[in-house]
Amino acid sequence: MPYVDGFVIAVPKANKDKFIAHARLGDPVFMDNGATRIFECWQDDVPEGKQTDFFRAVACQEDEAVVFSWIEWPDKATRDAGMAKVMDVMTNDPRMDPEKNPMPFDGARMIFGGFEPVVVFGA
């Protein structure tokens, strides 16, 4: 059964191109370590909720956009092994080096988690 890591972050709108460059450089590290697909999605049609919403979840400011991302893995075992390898290479892979590929957002406001799909339709 596939496994999914999901992420929601607030990115300054002025950093959209920097975010895309950051993802294009860093995302292949996950693919190199077993991920099958990665989506990085920029806010387009995100409504404000009455009780909660994506904006509140990451303390999104007026000059920021919500980014919703996920990494698909073939299964949880591959994800666990792959993420362990990613954490190991973070210290010696220039694609993950914060000096060479700094996060263009406040990582402290990122929400994330691993999810086991319970219903899957389509490709």
Side-chain angles (χ1 to χ4, degrees):
M1 174 65 87
Y3 196 81
V4 176
D5 281 310
F7 310 86
V8 181
I9 55 177
V11 178
K13 293 173 184 175
N15 287 355
K16 183 176 182 179
D17 290 338
K18 288 180 184 178
F19 173 79
I20 293 168
H22 173 79
R24 286 191 172 147
L25 188 59
D27 285 356
V29 175
F30 295 93
M31 298 296 290
D32 292 349
N33 288 288
T36 56
R37 199 159 64 153
I38 299 172
F39 281 78
E40 304 283 4
C41 306
W42 193 264
Q43 169 188 330
D44 178 50
D45 185 12
V46 181
E48 290 187 24
K50 293 186 185 204
Q51 290 186 339
T52 190
D53 56 32
F54 280 106
F55 303 106
R56 290 184 199 130
V58 293
C60 194
Q61 305 300 309
E62 196 171 302
D63 64 338
E64 296 176 319
V66 172
V67 172
F68 176 59
S69 305
W70 67 92
I71 302 171
E72 293 181 7
W73 304 88
D75 51 53
K76 188 171 190 306
T78 302
R79 179 267 197 173
D80 290 348
M83 287 299 266
K85 289 177 188 173
V86 169
M87 294 302 131
D88 283 343
V89 299
M90 285 181 102
T91 57
N92 57 20
D93 188 319
R95 298 174 294 179
M96 301 299 276
D97 181 349
E99 296 282 326
K100 295 180 178 145
N101 190 15
M103 290 190 304
F105 54 88
D106 179 4
R109 291 187 286 145
M110 176 190 301
I111 60 172
F112 58 91
F115 299 86
E116 179 181 321
V118 293
V119 177
V120 178
F121 284 102

